[in-house]
Amino acid sequence: MRVVTTDYPDLTRPSSRTFPGVEYADRRLWPVMAAAIAYCVLLIATIDNGSLWTDEAFSAYLASQKNLACFLSTLVRGDSSDLQAAGYYLYTFVWCHLFGQSEFALRAANIPFIALFVVALVWIASRVFRTRWSWVCPALLPYFCYYASEARAYFALASLSLVCFGALLAYFEHPTERERRVIPWLVLGGLLLGTAFHMLMLLAVVPMLVIAWANHRYLHKAVVLSDWPPAIRGLAIPFLLYFSYLTWTFLRSVSYEYTKPTLASMLSVPYTLFGFSRFGPNRSY
């Protein structure tokens, strides 16, 4: 008699390719853990106390305000782009008042997000792609080493984007009962926090989530929605408050007048993405 099996490996038994949900001591996990820790240390080691460049200096200016009242008073005088990154500026304000206001301390605010990024990267590789080492490929992008040392919201957005997108992909891959309860909160909560750090989270991540959802629905003809109402109800008020605030930022502030992008300026995007910006003009002041 022919036995029909699924394409998914049994995660309760040792495997050379998978390890999510394993409850036994597997020595083959240690190389992965050691490599992940080494990568995390490498990203942290890129943080330095060099001179701040223009945008970093503005982060330092807000973070160095004497108290919360001064911080808010300074922030509301900014333009729309400043107000739309209020969450990140508030985070660096609290961080610098706890750990100091040097260039190194300001950039070290990325450390929690570096740890989150590495954990999420390794977990997604094992849980979604069913491999131990596929996370190394995106980890090799110079982009991450470059922005891990920048006092801006970019690395935080990369970390939270990875959490949101990876968690949604995991939700499509036969989630456990616990994952079905947790993942909706993880996706929506990460999206809310990232959007509070910078409005670009909405423009960059929401389309990716929608495309992934639509693709899954097209391939499998069904998407379980019953797990999402608790998270939607729980975060509805914070989202409404944020979108009200976002509307106010467009009405309240005066926007910068940016020059029209040229072909040369658009070609600088992949140049920056692959981490070559450090070889360009000196941005320090």
Side-chain angles (χ1 to χ4, degrees), residues 12-284:
T12 62
R13 297 164 56 185
S15 168
S16 61
R17 290 177 57 82
T18 62
F19 60 89
V22 178
E23 297 179 357
Y24 56 85
D26 189 344
R27 293 180 181 178
R28 286 169 294 188
L29 293 181
W30 289 106
V32 180
M33 295 174 62
I37 293 173
Y39 178 58
C40 186
V41 171
L42 173 64
L43 291 178
I44 294 175
T46 64
I47 299 174
D48 58 31
N49 60 350
S51 299
L52 301 174
W53 69 285
T54 309
D55 286 358
E56 284 185 308
F58 188 75
S59 299
Y61 174 62
L62 285 172
S64 63
Q65 298 299 310
K66 292 189 297 184
N67 51 52
L68 184 60
C70 292
F71 168 81
L72 295 175
S73 176
T74 304
L75 181 63
V76 297
R77 288 181 171 84
D79 68 8
S80 295
S81 62
D82 300 327
L83 292 170
Q84 290 157 8
Y88 175 74
Y89 291 134
L90 179 60
Y91 167 70
T92 54
F93 169 79
V94 174
W95 178 276
C96 287
H97 278 71
L98 291 174
F99 300 106
Q101 298 180 6
S102 67
E103 290 89 344
F104 180 85
L106 180 65
R107 291 171 175 145
N110 283 333
I111 290 178
F113 294 102
I114 290 174
L116 174 64
F117 177 80
V118 174
V119 170
L121 199 62
V122 176
W123 180 79
I124 291 168
S126 64
R127 175 62 180 81
V128 178
F129 299 102
R130 310 284 175 167
T131 66
R132 297 175 187 272
W133 295 104
S134 61
W135 62 272
V136 175
C137 294
L140 291 176
L141 279 173
Y143 170 91
F144 298 116
C145 287
Y146 177 70
Y147 283 111
S149 180
E150 193 152 297
R152 300 296 288 168
Y154 308 135
F155 201 93
L157 295 184
S159 301
L160 295 170
S161 300
L162 180 66
V163 169
C164 293
F165 192 66
L168 186 63
L169 294 181
Y171 184 79
F172 295 150
E173 290 291 327
H174 304 279
T176 63
E177 286 298 322
R178 183 184 180 186
E179 288 175 337
R180 290 178 60 182
R181 293 193 304 268
V182 172
I183 286 178
W185 289 91
L186 201 59
V187 173
L188 297 178
L191 185 61
L192 178 62
L193 179 60
T195 305
F197 270 39
H198 204 292
M199 188 195 68
L200 290 177
M201 184 81 171
L202 284 177
L203 303 178
V205 179
V206 171
M208 294 171 57
L209 298 178
V210 172
I211 291 171
W213 191 286
N215 180 68
H216 180 79
R217 185 177 181 85
Y218 174 77
L219 294 177
H220 299 279
K221 307 300 181 183
V223 177
V224 178
L225 298 175
S226 59
D227 302 319
W228 292 80
I232 293 174
R233 289 193 297 267
L235 296 174
I237 293 178
F239 268 108
L240 287 175
L241 290 175
Y242 174 76
F243 283 119
S244 299
Y245 169 79
L246 194 61
T247 302
W248 174 80
T249 64
F250 284 109
L251 299 176
R252 164 67 174 80
S253 290
V254 178
S255 299
Y256 283 134
E257 293 184 1
Y258 296 101
T259 57
K260 185 177 180 180
T262 63
L263 179 60
S265 64
M266 295 302 294
L267 290 175
S268 69
V269 174
Y271 181 80
T272 302
L273 176 65
F274 287 102
F276 296 123
S277 292
R278 287 189 184 275
F279 302 104
N282 184 9
R283 301 185 303 170
S284 301

